[in-house]
Amino acid sequence: MLDTLFFLLERLFLLAHIKISLPRLVQVEREPAACTRRDDVSWTRFTRGDLLEVPRTLFTHFGIYMGDGRVAHLIPDALPLVTTDPWRVQRMVTNTRLLLGVLSKQASVRVDSVEDFAYGARILVNRADAQCAPLCGEESALRGERLIGPVSYSLLWNNCEHFVTHCRYGHARSLQTEQFCSWLKSMVWDPRTLLASVLLGILILVFFGTSLSTLVPALLIPFTLWMAS
């Protein structure tokens, strides 16, 4: 059963383009419009301290360019919990390591090549510079280097975007987290959500009968949504 669960979760990660070891192809562009698209995709065109973004299907992955074709990025990884062998830890992060890292809330700030960081996707550079004043490139890179190694991980509160905004702008922030919280808030505030929870509670009581195990969720969920809204 556990093997089946891991298999299904790995397929989900593949759909989300999370796997690390992928083809060596990098496409690069700068945004916003003030920065021109680069036809030359060589990593030598990056500047130390650049904030790199790689759009995925379900999310965006972030890193800080260290120079010499290397990128520092925060990635969920449970392996440092069980070994300190640098050769094993530095190997490509597999889907299983990613999954266990998310579940155990453990991650690593590690340095990989630009190609491994991008794995075939296009790279966006310094998109948020128009909204936030960046630190100098050297300071951004040094901040990233000081954090290399095992760190705690939270999908919402300490992810790869928090890491790069701390390095590039001096304060940790995740637009993806803010967008998710805004969506969640709109769901809670929507009267239809409360109505759906009430109907679900009634169905639970009708089909499973009245008992402590059914009465508590049937009343608690609508009450919580009502108070939150």
PDB file of all heavy atoms in Angstrom, residues 181-200:
ATOM      1  N   CYS A 181      -3.154  32.160  -0.201  1.00  0.00           N
ATOM      2  CA  CYS A 181      -3.919  32.624   0.955  1.00  0.00           C
ATOM      3  C   CYS A 181      -5.090  33.494   0.524  1.00  0.00           C
ATOM      4  O   CYS A 181      -6.170  33.439   1.122  1.00  0.00           O
ATOM      5  CB  CYS A 181      -3.003  33.385   1.925  1.00  0.00           C
ATOM      6  SG  CYS A 181      -1.809  32.337   2.781  1.00  0.00           S
ATOM      7  N   SER A 182      -4.880  34.298  -0.515  1.00  0.00           N
ATOM      8  CA  SER A 182      -5.978  35.118  -1.028  1.00  0.00           C
ATOM      9  C   SER A 182      -7.093  34.243  -1.602  1.00  0.00           C
ATOM     10  O   SER A 182      -8.288  34.503  -1.387  1.00  0.00           O
ATOM     11  CB  SER A 182      -5.466  36.067  -2.113  1.00  0.00           C
ATOM     12  OG  SER A 182      -4.554  36.997  -1.567  1.00  0.00           O
ATOM     13  N   TRP A 183      -6.696  33.204  -2.328  1.00  0.00           N
ATOM     14  CA  TRP A 183      -7.697  32.269  -2.869  1.00  0.00           C
ATOM     15  C   TRP A 183      -8.437  31.577  -1.740  1.00  0.00           C
ATOM     16  O   TRP A 183      -9.665  31.444  -1.781  1.00  0.00           O
ATOM     17  CB  TRP A 183      -7.003  31.245  -3.759  1.00  0.00           C
ATOM     18  CG  TRP A 183      -7.909  30.123  -4.173  1.00  0.00           C
ATOM     19  CD1 TRP A 183      -8.809  30.123  -5.192  1.00  0.00           C
ATOM     20  CD2 TRP A 183      -8.017  28.838  -3.541  1.00  0.00           C
ATOM     21  NE1 TRP A 183      -9.477  28.910  -5.247  1.00  0.00           N
ATOM     22  CE2 TRP A 183      -9.007  28.107  -4.248  1.00  0.00           C
ATOM     23  CE3 TRP A 183      -7.371  28.234  -2.471  1.00  0.00           C
ATOM     24  CZ2 TRP A 183      -9.357  26.805  -3.894  1.00  0.00           C
ATOM     25  CZ3 TRP A 183      -7.724  26.939  -2.113  1.00  0.00           C
ATOM     26  CH2 TRP A 183      -8.696  26.238  -2.828  1.00  0.00           C
ATOM     27  N   LEU A 184      -7.699  31.145  -0.706  1.00  0.00           N
ATOM     28  CA  LEU A 184      -8.327  30.457   0.422  1.00  0.00           C
ATOM     29  C   LEU A 184      -9.273  31.392   1.159  1.00  0.00           C
ATOM     30  O   LEU A 184     -10.375  30.996   1.562  1.00  0.00           O
ATOM     31  CB  LEU A 184      -7.246  29.940   1.372  1.00  0.00           C
ATOM     32  CG  LEU A 184      -7.701  29.033   2.514  1.00  0.00           C
ATOM     33  CD1 LEU A 184      -8.360  27.773   1.965  1.00  0.00           C
ATOM     34  CD2 LEU A 184      -6.523  28.673   3.409  1.00  0.00           C
ATOM     35  N   LYS A 185      -8.868  32.652   1.303  1.00  0.00           N
ATOM     36  CA  LYS A 185      -9.727  33.632   1.976  1.00  0.00           C
ATOM     37  C   LYS A 185     -11.022  33.851   1.192  1.00  0.00           C
ATOM     38  O   LYS A 185     -12.105  33.933   1.775  1.00  0.00           O
ATOM     39  CB  LYS A 185      -8.979  34.954   2.129  1.00  0.00           C
ATOM     40  CG  LYS A 185      -9.721  36.002   2.934  1.00  0.00           C
ATOM     41  CD  LYS A 185      -8.992  37.331   2.902  1.00  0.00           C
ATOM     42  CE  LYS A 185      -7.631  37.234   3.564  1.00  0.00           C
ATOM     43  NZ  LYS A 185      -6.952  38.549   3.619  1.00  0.00           N
ATOM     44  N   SER A 186     -10.894  33.930  -0.137  1.00  0.00           N
ATOM     45  CA  SER A 186     -12.091  34.132  -0.952  1.00  0.00           C
ATOM     46  C   SER A 186     -13.028  32.927  -0.848  1.00  0.00           C
ATOM     47  O   SER A 186     -14.255  33.080  -0.882  1.00  0.00           O
ATOM     48  CB  SER A 186     -11.700  34.379  -2.411  1.00  0.00           C
ATOM     49  OG  SER A 186     -11.105  33.225  -2.984  1.00  0.00           O
ATOM     50  N   MET A 187     -12.448  31.725  -0.710  1.00  0.00           N
ATOM     51  CA  MET A 187     -13.276  30.525  -0.552  1.00  0.00           C
ATOM     52  C   MET A 187     -14.026  30.558   0.781  1.00  0.00           C
ATOM     53  O   MET A 187     -15.213  30.220   0.844  1.00  0.00           O
ATOM     54  CB  MET A 187     -12.385  29.283  -0.619  1.00  0.00           C
ATOM     55  CG  MET A 187     -11.876  28.967  -2.011  1.00  0.00           C
ATOM     56  SD  MET A 187     -13.178  28.374  -3.110  1.00  0.00           S
ATOM     57  CE  MET A 187     -13.542  26.794  -2.347  1.00  0.00           C
ATOM     58  N   VAL A 188     -13.322  30.980   1.845  1.00  0.00           N
ATOM     59  CA  VAL A 188     -13.958  31.029   3.168  1.00  0.00           C
ATOM     60  C   VAL A 188     -15.052  32.079   3.193  1.00  0.00           C
ATOM     61  O   VAL A 188     -16.117  31.875   3.784  1.00  0.00           O
ATOM     62  CB  VAL A 188     -12.901  31.306   4.255  1.00  0.00           C
ATOM     63  CG1 VAL A 188     -13.557  31.577   5.597  1.00  0.00           C
ATOM     64  CG2 VAL A 188     -11.939  30.121   4.367  1.00  0.00           C
ATOM     65  N   TRP A 189     -14.793  33.210   2.545  1.00  0.00           N
ATOM     66  CA  TRP A 189     -15.761  34.299   2.550  1.00  0.00           C
ATOM     67  C   TRP A 189     -16.976  34.032   1.654  1.00  0.00           C
ATOM     68  O   TRP A 189     -18.000  34.689   1.778  1.00  0.00           O
ATOM     69  CB  TRP A 189     -15.084  35.589   2.107  1.00  0.00           C
ATOM     70  CG  TRP A 189     -14.212  36.181   3.170  1.00  0.00           C
ATOM     71  CD1 TRP A 189     -14.030  35.724   4.434  1.00  0.00           C
ATOM     72  CD2 TRP A 189     -13.408  37.353   3.049  1.00  0.00           C
ATOM     73  NE1 TRP A 189     -13.152  36.518   5.112  1.00  0.00           N
ATOM     74  CE2 TRP A 189     -12.754  37.542   4.292  1.00  0.00           C
ATOM     75  CE3 TRP A 189     -13.157  38.254   2.033  1.00  0.00           C
ATOM     76  CZ2 TRP A 189     -11.872  38.583   4.534  1.00  0.00           C
ATOM     77  CZ3 TRP A 189     -12.278  39.301   2.260  1.00  0.00           C
ATOM     78  CH2 TRP A 189     -11.656  39.466   3.511  1.00  0.00           C
ATOM     79  N   ASP A 190     -16.861  33.095   0.736  1.00  0.00           N
ATOM     80  CA  ASP A 190     -17.947  32.809  -0.201  1.00  0.00           C
ATOM     81  C   ASP A 190     -19.096  32.119   0.545  1.00  0.00           C
ATOM     82  O   ASP A 190     -18.902  31.041   1.126  1.00  0.00           O
ATOM     83  CB  ASP A 190     -17.432  31.901  -1.323  1.00  0.00           C
ATOM     84  CG  ASP A 190     -18.427  31.809  -2.477  1.00  0.00           C
ATOM     85  OD1 ASP A 190     -19.641  31.975  -2.243  1.00  0.00           O
ATOM     86  OD2 ASP A 190     -17.980  31.579  -3.611  1.00  0.00           O
ATOM     87  N   PRO A 191     -20.293  32.701   0.558  1.00  0.00           N
ATOM     88  CA  PRO A 191     -21.424  32.073   1.258  1.00  0.00           C
ATOM     89  C   PRO A 191     -21.738  30.671   0.754  1.00  0.00           C
ATOM     90  O   PRO A 191     -22.274  29.845   1.495  1.00  0.00           O
ATOM     91  CB  PRO A 191     -22.588  33.036   0.975  1.00  0.00           C
ATOM     92  CG  PRO A 191     -21.937  34.342   0.643  1.00  0.00           C
ATOM     93  CD  PRO A 191     -20.654  33.995  -0.043  1.00  0.00           C
ATOM     94  N   ARG A 192     -21.415  30.386  -0.498  1.00  0.00           N
ATOM     95  CA  ARG A 192     -21.694  29.064  -1.042  1.00  0.00           C
ATOM     96  C   ARG A 192     -20.875  27.982  -0.347  1.00  0.00           C
ATOM     97  O   ARG A 192     -21.305  26.834  -0.238  1.00  0.00           O
ATOM     98  CB  ARG A 192     -21.420  29.059  -2.553  1.00  0.00           C
ATOM     99  CG  ARG A 192     -22.414  29.895  -3.362  1.00  0.00           C
ATOM    100  CD  ARG A 192     -21.993  30.011  -4.804  1.00  0.00           C
ATOM    101  NE  ARG A 192     -20.731  30.719  -4.945  1.00  0.00           N
ATOM    102  CZ  ARG A 192     -20.157  31.000  -6.113  1.00  0.00           C
ATOM    103  NH1 ARG A 192     -20.743  30.620  -7.247  1.00  0.00           N
ATOM    104  NH2 ARG A 192     -19.007  31.650  -6.160  1.00  0.00           N
ATOM    105  N   THR A 193     -19.656  28.353   0.126  1.00  0.00           N
ATOM    106  CA  THR A 193     -18.841  27.385   0.854  1.00  0.00           C
ATOM    107  C   THR A 193     -19.506  26.997   2.163  1.00  0.00           C
ATOM    108  O   THR A 193     -19.551  25.820   2.533  1.00  0.00           O
ATOM    109  CB  THR A 193     -17.444  27.977   1.137  1.00  0.00           C
ATOM    110  OG1 THR A 193     -16.820  28.357  -0.098  1.00  0.00           O
ATOM    111  CG2 THR A 193     -16.559  26.973   1.860  1.00  0.00           C
ATOM    112  N   LEU A 194     -20.041  27.990   2.874  1.00  0.00           N
ATOM    113  CA  LEU A 194     -20.746  27.716   4.119  1.00  0.00           C
ATOM    114  C   LEU A 194     -21.979  26.865   3.867  1.00  0.00           C
ATOM    115  O   LEU A 194     -22.246  25.893   4.592  1.00  0.00           O
ATOM    116  CB  LEU A 194     -21.140  29.029   4.793  1.00  0.00           C
ATOM    117  CG  LEU A 194     -21.949  28.907   6.094  1.00  0.00           C
ATOM    118  CD1 LEU A 194     -21.166  28.138   7.157  1.00  0.00           C
ATOM    119  CD2 LEU A 194     -22.336  30.296   6.603  1.00  0.00           C
ATOM    120  N   LEU A 195     -22.738  27.195   2.824  1.00  0.00           N
ATOM    121  CA  LEU A 195     -23.934  26.424   2.492  1.00  0.00           C
ATOM    122  C   LEU A 195     -23.570  24.977   2.159  1.00  0.00           C
ATOM    123  O   LEU A 195     -24.247  24.036   2.600  1.00  0.00           O
ATOM    124  CB  LEU A 195     -24.662  27.073   1.314  1.00  0.00           C
ATOM    125  CG  LEU A 195     -25.920  26.357   0.807  1.00  0.00           C
ATOM    126  CD1 LEU A 195     -26.964  26.257   1.911  1.00  0.00           C
ATOM    127  CD2 LEU A 195     -26.483  27.080  -0.415  1.00  0.00           C
ATOM    128  N   ALA A 196     -22.487  24.796   1.395  1.00  0.00           N
ATOM    129  CA  ALA A 196     -22.057  23.443   1.030  1.00  0.00           C
ATOM    130  C   ALA A 196     -21.655  22.642   2.260  1.00  0.00           C
ATOM    131  O   ALA A 196     -21.946  21.444   2.363  1.00  0.00           O
ATOM    132  CB  ALA A 196     -20.894  23.512   0.040  1.00  0.00           C
ATOM    133  N   SER A 197     -20.982  23.311   3.230  1.00  0.00           N
ATOM    134  CA  SER A 197     -20.573  22.606   4.452  1.00  0.00           C
ATOM    135  C   SER A 197     -21.784  22.208   5.293  1.00  0.00           C
ATOM    136  O   SER A 197     -21.798  21.142   5.916  1.00  0.00           O
ATOM    137  CB  SER A 197     -19.615  23.475   5.267  1.00  0.00           C
ATOM    138  OG  SER A 197     -20.286  24.602   5.822  1.00  0.00           O
ATOM    139  N   VAL A 198     -22.813  23.059   5.320  1.00  0.00           N
ATOM    140  CA  VAL A 198     -24.041  22.730   6.055  1.00  0.00           C
ATOM    141  C   VAL A 198     -24.733  21.533   5.420  1.00  0.00           C
ATOM    142  O   VAL A 198     -25.165  20.594   6.104  1.00  0.00           O
ATOM    143  CB  VAL A 198     -24.985  23.948   6.096  1.00  0.00           C
ATOM    144  CG1 VAL A 198     -26.344  23.541   6.671  1.00  0.00           C
ATOM    145  CG2 VAL A 198     -24.385  25.069   6.919  1.00  0.00           C
ATOM    146  N   LEU A 199     -24.851  21.532   4.086  1.00  0.00           N
ATOM    147  CA  LEU A 199     -25.479  20.419   3.389  1.00  0.00           C
ATOM    148  C   LEU A 199     -24.695  19.126   3.591  1.00  0.00           C
ATOM    149  O   LEU A 199     -25.276  18.053   3.780  1.00  0.00           O
ATOM    150  CB  LEU A 199     -25.597  20.738   1.894  1.00  0.00           C
ATOM    151  CG  LEU A 199     -26.551  21.876   1.525  1.00  0.00           C
ATOM    152  CD1 LEU A 199     -26.504  22.157   0.031  1.00  0.00           C
ATOM    153  CD2 LEU A 199     -27.983  21.534   1.959  1.00  0.00           C
ATOM    154  N   LEU A 200     -23.345  19.248   3.568  1.00  0.00           N
ATOM    155  CA  LEU A 200     -22.516  18.068   3.800  1.00  0.00           C
ATOM    156  C   LEU A 200     -22.734  17.518   5.209  1.00  0.00           C
ATOM    157  O   LEU A 200     -22.818  16.301   5.410  1.00  0.00           O
ATOM    158  CB  LEU A 200     -21.039  18.423   3.588  1.00  0.00           C
ATOM    159  CG  LEU A 200     -20.029  17.289   3.824  1.00  0.00           C
ATOM    160  CD1 LEU A 200     -20.300  16.137   2.855  1.00  0.00           C
ATOM    161  CD2 LEU A 200     -18.599  17.802   3.657  1.00  0.00           C
TER     162      LEU A 200
END
